[in-house]
Amino acid sequence: IPDTAAGQLMKLWLEAFNSGERERLVEFRARYAPDQPDHIEQMWQTRRFTGGMEFRRIEAAGEKSLKVIVKERDGDTHALLEVEAVSAEPLRAGKITMQRMETPADLRPARLGDGELVRALEERAEDLAKRSEFAGAVLLARGGEVLLEKAYGWADRESKTANTTKAQFRIGSMG
């Protein structure tokens, strides 16, 4: 990220956003963007949903404007993040926008083999279950062959009853 007013604001905003602390977003707005609309709640919800954003690459850079591609930490969604600087002294932000975008071809994840896919899916499900962000069962099959069938988390948190692949849920399955 370049050492320009827009670059400094981009770094500061990403640090605040990725901190996982709502107060850091409030402080950023108060210090660097007091004249801008208050979108703290929207940013906070986005942060909670994405787990933060990772810088991927610069799309356009100038002294007072910077556009970068970022990727959510907890998924594969990419977004175009744009920061405008109103002034360098004092450092002040203008518009800050983040717009979901189609993943550019060169940033798409590599295709995994079956074994790698199963390991990656198990790791992800286990991580989410440990953080109480996922409880359920996973069935992964290809061509009629079951590659993974495993349950994660609690079927009943109060009684500490573990999920099983035979548990019945009130929601449907995906694709």
Side-chain angles (χ1 to χ4, degrees):
I1 297 177
D3 190 23
T4 61
Q8 291 172 33
L9 287 164
M10 178 73 71
K11 289 177 195 173
L12 291 165
W13 187 87
L14 280 169
E15 286 173 10
F17 185 81
N18 287 335
S19 72
E21 299 172 24
R22 184 183 181 281
E23 188 57 34
R24 296 271 308 268
L25 290 169
V26 171
E27 290 169 3
F28 176 91
R29 181 179 180 274
R31 184 168 183 182
Y32 302 108
D35 300 329
Q36 297 303 309
D38 184 352
H39 297 295
I40 298 297
E41 288 310 313
Q42 182 182 359
M43 285 190 290
W44 180 239
Q45 291 302 321
T46 300
R47 167 58 178 86
R48 291 178 60 211
F49 181 73
T50 63
M53 291 291 183
E54 298 172 355
F55 170 82
R56 298 304 297 266
R57 74 167 175 229
I58 295 172
E59 285 294 287
E63 179 61 35
K64 294 198 171 200
S65 178
L66 182 59
K67 292 181 184 180
V68 303
I69 294 177
V70 292
K71 182 188 103 36
E72 66 181 29
R73 286 180 175 165
D74 288 347
D76 292 322
T77 301
H78 285 73
L80 184 64
L81 176 59
E82 182 176 1
V83 173
E84 291 180 358
V86 174
S87 68
E89 288 295 327
L91 188 58
R92 290 285 186 263
K95 182 173 69 170
I96 299 174
T97 60
M98 185 164 42
Q99 182 69 41
R100 183 180 175 162
M101 64 183 291
E102 184 175 329
T103 302
D106 63 315
L107 296 179
R108 290 186 185 130
R111 196 164 191 75
L112 301 176
D114 289 351
E116 295 168 308
L117 178 61
V118 168
R119 280 189 297 282
L121 185 54
E122 282 182 310
E123 287 175 14
R124 179 80 171 129
E126 288 168 5
D127 179 55
L128 290 171
K130 284 178 189 171
R131 295 187 283 161
S132 297
E133 294 178 12
F134 173 68
V138 173
L139 173 63
L140 176 65
R142 184 187 317 267
E145 178 188 352
V146 174
L147 302 175
L148 174 64
E149 184 175 10
K150 191 171 179 181
Y152 300 87
W154 302 111
D156 183 339
R157 286 184 179 145
E158 289 180 18
S159 67
K160 301 282 189 201
T161 303
N163 259 326
T164 70
T165 57
K166 305 294 183 207
Q168 293 183 359
F169 301 96
R170 293 185 197 182
I171 59 174
S173 63
M174 298 185 328

